[in-house]
Amino acid sequence: MSVREEFDEWATSGRDRGMEERHWHTAKEALARMPVEPGDVVLDLGCGSGYAGRALRDTYDAGRVYGLDGAPEMARNARSYTDDPNVGYVVGDFGALPFVDDSIDHVWTMEAFYYAADPHEALAEIARVLRPGGTLYCAVNYYEENVHSHEWQEFISIEMTRWNREQYREAFRTAGLHVAEQDNIPDREITIPAEAEFPLEDWDTREEMVERYREFGTLLTVGVAP
Ligand code: SAH
């Protein structure tokens, strides 16, 4: 199955909003760290419902926001959630970004990067479109140290890249980006039921759920274009 087939289905069944709700718990903390200045051009890769770009417009007065997604229905939904003329949505692939060199101030990507058919190629593309001093904020919940995420691949037809913290840093550097920060952002908002309620459908023990959300959370790696 292609990105388009898989995620068009998600979009038409409303899962774009469901993801937004869950991802927002940690995404908002990562977004708050981005050094976006008024007027900056921001690109959201694998934008889904497009919430991140809209938040950057609203809170930082970003000048122009592009949300790129490989699934046309995702881009269509995202478009329908705003009439802001400075936010645009494009259908495209991480492997060939439809932007000229040095044209983007900041790239954001949440829970999307690891779907790239070739993650090194995607990083090279990001490095190409970023202006000198531009940043990449790459946030993932699916990564090697988060053992609770490993089974996700079974439910998705697209091959997912499962790097560890160090592999992210190494790959950023190989693409020519400096690594400015790497951090685990805990999800403090998800409700974790009391001990007596376990096992739950998805969680055998409370301990595992605490580890997944409060300890591992979202892995954020920040790159800076030289
Ligand atoms: N960032 C959003 C959506 C995450 S779901 C959020 O935080 O909720 C991942 C999104 O990435 C999907 O909408 C999917 O269509 C898109 N995507 C996956 N692989 C892609 C690729 N190679 N090129 C472009 N978009 C891709």
Side-chain angles (χ1 to χ4, degrees):
M1 224 192 246
S2 64
V3 164
R4 181 185 186 134
E5 286 166 323
E6 173 88 43
F7 290 102
D8 267 352
E9 218 289 299
W10 288 37
T12 47
S13 60
R15 286 177 75 181
D16 59 328
R17 284 296 207 181
M19 286 194 291
E20 166 177 343
E21 208 174 293
R22 272 179 290 122
H23 295 165
W24 183 246
H25 297 178
T26 53
K28 65 181 168 195
E29 289 193 35
L31 288 163
R33 298 183 190 187
M34 288 184 79
V36 176
E37 300 277 353
D40 278 357
V41 180
V42 178
L43 170 61
D44 178 2
L45 290 179
C47 65
S49 76
Y51 67 92
R54 292 194 293 275
L56 292 173
R57 272 282 296 154
D58 294 346
T59 55
Y60 289 122
D61 197 21
R64 178 87 193 145
V65 168
Y66 297 100
L68 178 141
D69 205 285
E73 293 301 330
M74 283 287 186
R76 190 198 305 268
N77 281 3
R79 175 77 274 164
S80 75
Y81 303 142
T82 179
D83 51 14
D84 183 340
N86 290 319
V87 177
Y89 296 99
V90 281
V91 176
D93 190 87
F94 301 160
L97 300 179
F99 298 92
V100 296
D101 299 3
D102 300 348
S103 59
I104 306 287
D105 293 299
H106 305 283
V107 172
W108 163 261
T109 180
M110 170 82 186
E111 279 294 84
F113 175 77
Y114 49 71
Y115 293 118
D118 179 347
H120 295 286
E121 176 186 61
L123 282 173
E125 275 295 90
I126 292 167
R128 178 184 67 75
V129 302
L130 277 177
R131 290 201 176 113
T135 67
L136 163 61
Y137 276 66
C138 176
V140 294
N141 293 337
Y142 181 75
Y143 56 94
E144 185 60 28
E145 286 85 352
N146 181 8
V147 290
H148 309 292
S149 70
H150 291 189
E151 64 180 34
W152 298 354
Q153 176 69 83
E154 291 165 35
F155 307 103
I156 290 191
S157 61
I158 298 153
E159 204 186 317
M160 297 156 78
T161 295
R162 200 172 73 213
W163 283 343
N164 62 30
R165 293 174 62 107
E166 192 181 338
Q167 283 174 304
Y168 268 96
R169 297 199 304 275
E170 255 174 41
F172 274 40
R173 292 188 185 113
T174 302
L177 299 170
H178 299 296
V179 176
E181 182 186 0
Q182 191 172 49
D183 202 6
N184 286 78
I185 302 179
D187 179 340
R188 297 190 183 85
E189 290 180 27
I190 193 135
T191 307
I192 300 183
E195 191 78 56
E197 314 233 352
F198 287 83
L200 301 173
E201 196 185 326
D202 291 331
W203 297 98
D204 286 339
T205 67
R206 187 171 197 278
E207 222 169 37
E208 285 172 332
M209 200 174 171
V210 166
E211 183 179 65
R212 156 69 185 96
Y213 290 106
R214 307 285 199 257
E215 196 179 313
F216 296 152
T218 295
L219 176 65
L220 172 70
T221 308
V222 179
V224 180

